[in-house]
Amino acid sequence: MHITSHPSNILQQNWIDTIRGSADAAEQARQLLPEQLELIYQQRWFNIITPKEYGGLELDLNQEVRLIEALSWADGSLGWVATLCSGAAWFAGFLNPQLAVEIFADRTACLAGSGAPSGTAAISGDGYIINGTWKYASGALNTTHFTANCRIMQNGLPVLNPEGEQLIIPFVFKKDEVKVIPAWNYMGMVATGSHSFEVNQVWVPASRSFRIDPDFMMIHKPQYAYPFLQLAEATIAVNISGMAIHFIDLCKATFAAKRVNKNLTEAQDSELNEVFEQAVHQLNDTRNTFYEAVDRSWLNYADGDTANQAENLQSVSDTSRKLAKSARQVVNELYPYCGLEAAKPSSEINRVWRDIHTASQHAVLTFAS
């Protein structure tokens, strides 16, 4: 049994060689390397869903998730940074057009940031004075801009929205307005450089604020009408499944060597084969169900069809969680059969194991939708 629609089919072999050939060194450096970044810039992977008006690929959602899964299969850290930074570049559909043109004129344009409202923006003239600290900005070491949510204040008091809750607005910061705080000290996704960042008493014009709301869209296309929640859920889920497929590929080679070198009994060989086949079958099933849900939901928006839209979006949320859970399960089922090489921190299979267990902690898929 093999993985259906294997993500390797999406990437050119020379791309895979560049990504994986630098993966170990990138982990040692704790950030993506220049050759990996140059490939990203050439292929515009930080701009997977950025509007074509600004030089982006503007892929449909069903194309985007398959590409992201492939990048995460090639390497967890690179795939994760491409996902989070391209996800932030999706905000281009809501940015002031003049600002967007300015940002994306740079071929190395990359937006990192945080959705946590852990900053304040005090109204000051025709702008805001920003203060705050945010965690987990993947790609913080290679970004050109940061985005972050802030609680709006005026005269020391919270500004409320029409629902009576504190108004929260996202902002764009230039790299030189931000202090990166080294804080990514976790066992996996080491090369993502997902550090914290701080903004201290920086005045930002109102033109660098934006609203993620259909009423505030600047680019009126299905990509930006599609809800950000399901976009985030689906792209994080395929990161995890891509890494799981990488792990399965490595297991296949490990198990083949074990059959030759370990003098397995017939019963042991049968068990090894059964565990592997079950893992592949389980992941194939959940991936197929997930992609069916994403494709169906995307067609709703691409065709402007509102029938069953809420139901289809809920299906994306549900199947994203199932895919992430299934990916973790199959990796954990296979891991005990991989031998001590899988426990050696310098080995590729251990890096993939660490990456998938770190990435799967992302809060967007932790609880039931």
Side-chain angles (χ1 to χ4, degrees), residues 4 7 24 89 110 134 149 173 197 227 290 300 328 333:
T4 56
D24 183 62
C110 174
W134 296 264
N149 279 332
F173 307 111
F197 66 99
F290 165 82
N300 269 154
R328 290 194 304 267
E333 287 292 327

Side-chain angles (χ1 to χ4, degrees), residues 295-310 312:
D295 292 348
R296 185 168 56 247
S297 176
W298 169 247
L299 285 175
N300 269 154
Y301 281 84
D303 295 341
D305 181 8
T306 58
N308 303 315
Q309 204 169 80
N312 289 336

Side-chain angles (χ1 to χ4, degrees), residues 6-11 15-16 19-20 23 32 36 39-40 45-46 48 63-86 138 189 192 232-250 283 287 290-291 323 327 331 348-349 351-360 365:
H6 197 285
S8 61
N9 297 326
I10 294 178
L11 303 179
W15 299 347
I16 299 168
I19 294 169
R20 289 193 173 173
L32 298 183
Q36 293 175 311
L39 177 61
I40 290 172
W45 288 334
F46 283 156
I48 293 172
Q63 298 172 309
E64 178 195 4
V65 290
R66 288 169 169 86
L67 174 56
I68 285 174
E69 184 183 54
L71 294 176
S72 297
W73 164 80
D75 177 63
S77 284
L78 183 139
W80 187 266
V81 173
T83 301
L84 275 292
C85 291
S86 66
S138 296
M189 311 299 287
T192 62
E233 291 169 334
T235 52
I236 296 300
V238 291
N239 265 271
I240 298 170
S241 66
M243 288 182 261
I245 294 169
H246 189 177
F247 191 88
I248 287 172
D249 291 347
L250 294 172
L283 193 58
R287 282 179 77 231
F290 165 82
Y291 278 118
L323 179 58
V331 166
E348 180 181 10
I349 194 168
R351 183 175 68 246
V352 178
W353 184 88
R354 287 185 285 108
D355 284 350
I356 193 171
H357 282 84
T358 303
S360 64
L365 297 177

Side-chain angles (χ1 to χ4, degrees), residues 125-174:
D126 57 354
Y128 302 82
I129 295 175
I130 310 290
N131 288 281
T133 303
W134 296 264
K135 295 180 179 180
Y136 313 133
S138 296
L141 298 178
N142 50 254
T143 191
T144 58
H145 295 77
F146 289 81
T147 66
N149 279 332
C150 295
R151 303 184 307 278
I152 306 303
M153 308 290 291
Q154 186 170 36
N155 299 323
L157 298 174
V159 175
L160 305 182
N161 63 21
E163 289 73 38
E165 302 166 338
Q166 178 150 26
L167 180 61
I168 296 172
I169 296 178
F171 290 83
V172 177
F173 307 111
K174 298 177 181 179

Side-chain angles (χ1 to χ4, degrees), residues 310-329:
E311 178 184 341
N312 289 336
L313 287 171
Q314 185 61 48
S315 182
V316 171
S317 295
D318 294 340
T319 58
S320 293
R321 283 163 176 74
K322 289 176 182 176
L323 179 58
K325 182 178 180 179
S326 179
R328 290 194 304 267
Q329 286 177 336

